[in-house]
Amino acid sequence: MSESTTWSVRHGRNTVALTWFRGRLTWTVLSGGVQVTPPAPLHLRTADGRDLLSGATYLSDDTREVAEVYDLVVGKRVGRHTVDHRERTVRFACAGGGEVAVVLRAAPDGVALRFALSGLDGATVTGGDVDLRLPATAAVWPLTYTPWYETTRFTSTLDALEPGDYGFPFLVELADDTFALVTEADLDGRYGGSFARYAGGGAVAVTLAGDVVLSGESVATPWRVVILGDLATVVASHLVDDLAPPVEGGVVPAWARPGRAAWSWWSDFYSGAQLSKQLRMLDYAAARGWEYVLVDCGWDGVWMPELVAAASERGVGVFVWVVWDHLATPEQRRKLAEWASWGIAGVKVDFMESEAQERYRWYDEVIAECARVGLMINFHGSVIPRGWARTYPHVMSYEAVRGAEYYVFYSEPLTPEHNTIVPFTRNVVGSADYTPVTFSAAARLTTEAHELALAVVLESGLLNFADDVDEYAKRPIAEAAIERIQAAWDETRLLAGRPGEYVVLARRSGAEWFAGALSALGEPKTVSVDLSTLGLDAGAAYAATVITDDDNDRLTQETRAVTAADTVDLTLRPNGGAVVLLVPSGYTRPPRPPQPAVTVADAILRGGPGEPVEIAAVVTGAEPHLVVPPGWDAPRLARPRAADGSVAWSVTVPADTEPGHVAVLAVHAGDPLGARRSTLAHVRVVSPLGAQPASLVALTPVAAANGSGPVERDMSNGEGNPADGRPMSVAGVHHPKGLGVCAPSEVTWVLDGAEARLTASVGVDDESPAGTTATCAVVGDGRVLTTVEVAAGEPAHELDVDLTGVTRLRLVVQDAAAGAEPAHVDWIDPWITLSPMNVERGTR
C-alpha cells in the first residue's frame, strides 16, 4: 500500500471516502462532487490509552450492492420500502492486536460509516470516534444534549455556538438549499449512545456518552449517519431505518398497530388512578374513532381488566404507564406477560434517561419481552430512534422531544421556533411523542390553529392528544379535525419552510391529504399549498377544508371545491398555523366492522390449587380464545362452541397458588394477537383463604375505587400518585401495617363464606386537616355489618366483625359532605381469622 491511499463508494451525488495517510485514517463526505466535510480524523480510543486506528495495517477491502426490502407500520411513510445502497468495507489489523473494519455506505439521500471490531473482547472504548469539519459560519439548529433529549431546539450559527455537547439529530446548512443532518443508526446493548461534541471552528466530534465494553468476538459500532440534500430530501429520508437490521423473522406482527389515544394525565395529573375518569376518556376515544386510551401513573391492576374489557367492546385498546426500573429485572418483567394476558395493548415506559451501554441492554431485554408477549411500546424519557421502526415494529413512539408536558411540569411555554425546528430534525429519524393540541395551556405562545396543526406536522405512531376532552368538545372545528387526523401516514412531503421560521408539511392517509402549517414569525406569513405537487387525480373534484385563526385566536374554517391544479393560499398569523383537509368529493371513510361479542357465565369463580375450573362463555362474531395467566397450563376445550355461541374450557389452578390469590383469565372473541382488536371479557379465579389468618393488606381485592390515587398498602393515602404516602399515623400513634385510602373509597375481597371474623382498627390519618371526618362501613354481601364515625385527631376505633357466611367483603369510606375536605382514612391491621371450629375441621 502506498504512503497515501483512498477508498470510496458513491451513490448518485453522494460519496463517502476513507483515506490512509502515514498511518492515520481520515474520512470525507462529498455531495455533487463538493466536499460536505473536508478530511476529518477517525479514532477508536480505548481506556488503556490505545487508538485502535493509529498505525493500523491494511488487510483487504471489498464492495457490495445492498438491495433489501422491508415494511414499516409506523412513521411518515408506512408500507414497503426499498433499500438501494453501495457499500465498501476496508479491513485493518490494529497495532496492538485485533482488527477494525471501516464500513462505508452511500445512499441516494446520504452516507454512513461504522466500525466492525474483531478480536477485541473485553476492551473498553471511550471518547470520540468520528470527526466532522463543517463550515465555520454555517447555520445550525441544535439542542443542548441530555440523554432524554428534551431541551429546546434553537437557531444559531456554528461561529456563535458555544463549545459543548449537543444532541442528535444535528442539522447544519452547508450551502444554499443543501443541508446535512448528522445522527446515528442501528444501536443496541452491544454499544452505547453518542452526542455531538462541538469544539468551535466548525469542528464536531461524534462522542460516546459513556464508556463501552466490547463483548464477544465481533462488535459493530452504530452507523454514523449524514443525511444530505435539500430540506425536502432530509424530511422525507428513511436512511436511519434503511441502515437498521430487519425485524426478527422478517415479519411485522399483526398486532403492531399505530393509533390515536385519549390521555388524561396532562389535564388531570392524578386521573390515572381513577377508573371513572378513564372510562370517560374511553367514551370520548370511542366516539371519535380513536384506537387507544393511555392510562398514566397511578392505575390499579384491580380495576384495569374492567377498563380493558369495556374498551374492547368498542374496538379500543389500552396502553398503561410504568417506570423503567419497575421492569429492571427478569422477575419484574414477568408482569408484562400478565398484563398482556389481560388484553392490554401496550406499555408506556418512562424515565430511562440514559445513553449508557447498560441501559441499552435493558432496552434490548424489554423490547424482546414485549415482542414475545404481544405488547406495543411507547418509550418516554427516552433516547431518540435509531432505526427501531424497522427492527422493532411494535415500538410505536418515543418522547425524546421537548413537548407539551413542559407546560405541566414547569409552566414553560414551548417556543414556536422550537416547534418549527422539530420537523426538520428530531421527527426526521422517527416518531416523536410530543403530545400535541393543548388549547388550554395558560403559558402558550402559539395560536389555536398552530396547536391543531402540530397533530399533522409532528408524527407519532402513538398520537396522544393531551388536552382535556372538554376543551376539544368546546371547539367543534378542532374536534372534527382530530377525528380525521391519523397516527401513521402513507406519504409525507415537505411543501415549504425553513427551520425556526415556518413549515408546511403534507401527509396522506389513504385517499385523504392533510396539510399542516406552523409559523414562528412575529408577523403574518403567506404560504401556499400547491395541490399539483400531491399527485392528485387530475380529473377528480376535491373538497378542501381550510382551518386557520381568526383575529381573536379562535379557530375558523371554510370548505371550498378544488382540483388537482389549484393552489390553496394560507395567511398564518404571528406564531400561528393552519390545517388543510383534502378529500375527494363525496368520499366517506369505510365504516369500522362490527365488534364481535363475548359474555361469561360467571365473572368470579372459586378454585383451589390443583383443582379444575370450568370457564363458560358465549362468543359471537368471531372464534373464541381463552388466555390464561403466565404459569398456568394451556386450557382444554370442555365443550366446543355451539350454534348459539356457547363454549367452555377446563383449566387447572396451578398447584403453587397462594391462598386468596386472584387470577385474571380473558375470554376473547377473536384472535388476541390478530390484525384487529378482539372483544374480551374477564373471569377472576379466586383461591380459598385456607385455615390460617389472612391479612387484607396481602390479599388482592376483586374491585377497588379510591377518591385520590390508588389504595396504598402499609402507608397513608398521600396525594394522587402511587406509593406517595407516609407511615400511617392516627392521633399521633404510628401503625406499620394497613391500607391508606381517601374518601370516597370502596375495596372488595372474595371470602370463603366460612365462620370468620374481621379484626382491624380505623381512623383518620394525621395527614388530613383538623376537623376532617368520615363515615366508615364494613359491608358483607351487600349488608352493612358495622358503621363507624371517625374524625381527625381521634384515636383509631377498634373493629371486631362477624363475617360468617360472607363471600363478598367491602370496606367503605363514604364521600365527604359537600364542600368538606375528603378524609384520608387508615384501615389498620385488617385480618380475617377463621373460628377455631372451622380451623379444627380444616375448612379452607
Side-chain angles (χ1 to χ4, degrees), residues 805-828:
V806 170
T807 59
R808 300 289 189 276
L809 170 66
R810 286 190 295 147
L811 299 185
V812 178
V813 180
Q814 295 179 7
D815 202 356
E821 187 77 18
H824 289 194
V825 169
D826 299 332
W827 295 96
I828 300 162

Side-chain angles (χ1 to χ4, degrees), residues 76-112:
K76 57 194 169 190
R77 184 168 69 84
V78 301
R80 181 56 52 94
H81 286 252
T82 300
V83 179
D84 173 24
H85 292 177
R86 314 286 185 267
E87 183 177 281
R88 187 160 195 165
T89 301
V90 189
R91 298 176 181 83
F92 299 88
C94 303
E99 294 184 8
V100 176
V102 183
V103 187
L104 309 173
R105 277 278 187 107
D109 49 351
V111 301

Side-chain angles (χ1 to χ4, degrees), residues 86-407:
R86 314 286 185 267
E87 183 177 281
R88 187 160 195 165
T89 301
V90 189
R91 298 176 181 83
F92 299 88
C94 303
E99 294 184 8
V100 176
V102 183
V103 187
L104 309 173
R105 277 278 187 107
D109 49 351
V111 301
L113 176 149
R114 81 186 314 175
F115 304 104
L117 313 175
S118 303
L120 292 162
D121 184 33
T124 299
V125 180
T126 189
D129 52 24
V130 172
D131 289 359
L132 298 95
R133 298 287 183 262
L134 301 169
T137 59
V140 63
W141 293 270
L143 83 164
T144 303
Y145 173 74
T146 69
W148 54 95
Y149 293 86
E150 293 177 30
T151 54
T152 301
R153 288 190 178 267
F154 59 95
T155 303
S156 183
T157 56
L158 285 175
D159 57 349
L161 191 65
E162 291 287 335
D165 298 337
Y166 298 91
F168 293 130
F170 189 84
L171 180 65
V172 181
E173 185 174 27
L174 303 170
D176 288 345
D177 212 26
T178 303
F179 295 79
L181 187 70
V182 182
T183 191
E184 293 186 290
D186 188 13
L187 174 55
D188 58 30
R190 290 169 292 186
Y191 218 71
S194 298
F195 50 74
R197 176 160 286 167
Y198 183 60
V204 175
V206 178
T207 303
L208 280 169
D211 292 352
V212 168
V213 178
L214 304 180
S215 178
E217 176 57 28
S218 180
V219 176
T221 71
W223 290 102
R224 289 20 181 139
V225 183
V226 183
I227 299 171
L228 292 166
D230 59 17
L231 287 173
T233 300
V234 170
V235 168
S237 175
H238 275 277
L239 183 55
V240 169
D241 298 320
D242 293 346
L243 291 165
V247 59
E248 186 175 354
V251 179
V252 175
W255 47 266
R257 298 182 290 264
R260 302 151 295 175
W263 178 52
S264 64
W265 177 91
W266 189 90
S267 61
D268 190 354
F269 195 73
Y270 296 131
S271 58
Q274 307 297 322
L275 174 60
S276 60
K277 293 183 177 181
Q278 298 311 311
L279 289 169
R280 173 174 172 263
M281 301 305 287
L282 167 61
D283 288 343
Y284 192 84
R288 304 276 77 72
W290 294 353
E291 292 78 11
Y292 299 107
V293 169
L294 170 58
V295 187
D296 219 284
C297 180
W299 64 272
D300 195 331
V302 173
W303 54 255
M304 181 54 68
E306 182 179 343
L307 177 66
V308 172
S312 76
E313 292 178 4
R314 306 174 75 174
V316 177
V318 177
F319 273 71
V320 297
W321 179 94
V322 62
V323 180
W324 81 271
D325 59 4
H326 290 188
L327 303 174
T329 67
E331 182 176 4
Q332 289 175 316
R333 288 192 287 274
R334 291 192 189 109
K335 68 184 70 172
L336 293 169
E338 181 183 15
W339 298 345
S341 76
W342 300 346
I344 280 174
V347 290
K348 172 183 175 180
V349 193
D350 209 346
F351 295 118
M352 286 72 68
E353 299 181 350
S354 173
E355 294 269 19
Q357 182 182 26
E358 178 184 4
R359 194 60 46 83
Y360 277 101
R361 288 173 177 161
W362 173 90
Y363 276 108
D364 294 345
E365 291 162 351
V366 168
I367 289 170
E369 179 62 8
C370 285
R372 186 185 73 82
V373 303
L375 288 175
M376 292 174 282
I377 313 172
N378 174 24
F379 283 125
H380 219 60
S382 73
V383 296
I384 58 171
R386 263 70 172 227
W388 292 356
R390 178 183 182 183
T391 310
Y392 310 121
H394 61 298
V395 178
M396 290 291 107
S397 193
Y398 321 68
E399 188 183 22
V401 66
R402 193 178 189 89
E405 73 170 27
Y406 278 79
Y407 290 123

